[in-house]
Amino acid sequence: MYFQDLNNPEIIKKIKQLSQGKSGVYKITNLQNSKSYVGSAITKKATSNRLYARFRYHFFHHHKDFLLKRAIKKYGINSFSWEILEWTEIPSTRSRETWFIQNLLPEYNILLSAENSFGYSHTLETREKMKAGYSESRR
């Protein structure tokens, strides 16, 4: 499933309806430069909608993924598409996300695996910012 015009209330409603109670792997693509992000969401209850929550988080609540957040701010929501790459069963969701990350090589993803951050090192600048944010009692 592929969606554009992500500010359109009808598109938002359709994404919500189609992803209700499902787990899967999704891709966000910048239509201006073709850079992308691959993510996943696991929904454990039929009444829950983690995929829709991830959609809202990325586009309307400025998710923590710094590269993607900065790109959405720069280009605007309607310069991006949302695509469900695959509906998954809960046990295979993270491994399927990892497979897509390793095969599509999305530029906005920092980690090469959805299953852990082993081997990733924060930059010196990031480590300094993290230290500065610690309270005295935490140091």
Side-chain angles (χ1 to χ4, degrees), residues 103-115:
N103 285 277
L104 298 177
L105 302 174
E107 296 84 350
Y108 294 132
N109 285 71
I110 294 172
L111 302 176
L112 295 176
S113 172
E115 296 165 281

Side-chain angles (χ1 to χ4, degrees), residues 23-122:
S23 298
V25 180
Y26 60 88
K27 181 172 85 165
I28 297 170
T29 303
N30 184 328
L31 302 172
Q32 302 295 317
N33 60 21
S34 299
K35 291 182 179 181
S36 62
Y37 174 86
V38 171
S40 69
I42 293 173
T43 302
K44 295 182 179 180
K45 297 179 186 176
T47 57
S48 296
N49 198 336
R50 293 290 302 148
L51 277 167
Y52 178 68
R54 299 291 294 157
F55 167 77
R56 300 277 311 165
Y57 218 44
H58 284 298
F59 290 107
F60 301 103
H61 302 294
H62 302 292
H63 191 261
K64 66 181 178 177
D65 300 304
F66 181 72
L67 296 175
L68 181 59
K69 177 172 74 171
R70 191 166 59 181
I72 291 170
K73 188 174 181 180
K74 177 179 179 179
Y75 295 101
I77 292 170
N78 283 331
S79 291
F80 289 83
S81 66
W82 171 269
E83 180 179 5
I84 301 297
L85 295 173
E86 184 175 299
W87 300 115
T88 60
E89 296 296 322
I90 291 172
S92 65
T93 302
R94 298 287 185 240
S95 63
R96 294 302 296 151
E97 178 184 2
T98 296
W99 185 90
F100 280 107
I101 290 170
Q102 293 173 349
N103 285 277
L104 298 177
L105 302 174
E107 296 84 350
Y108 294 132
N109 285 71
I110 294 172
L111 302 176
L112 295 176
S113 172
E115 296 165 281
N116 67 56
S117 59
F118 182 74
Y120 176 76
S121 296
H122 289 288

Side-chain angles (χ1 to χ4, degrees), residues 3-16:
F3 301 94
Q4 285 183 255
D5 192 18
L6 301 177
N7 253 338
N8 182 327
E10 290 302 313
I11 298 295
I12 294 169
K13 183 178 177 183
K14 190 169 203 130
I15 290 169
K16 184 177 183 179

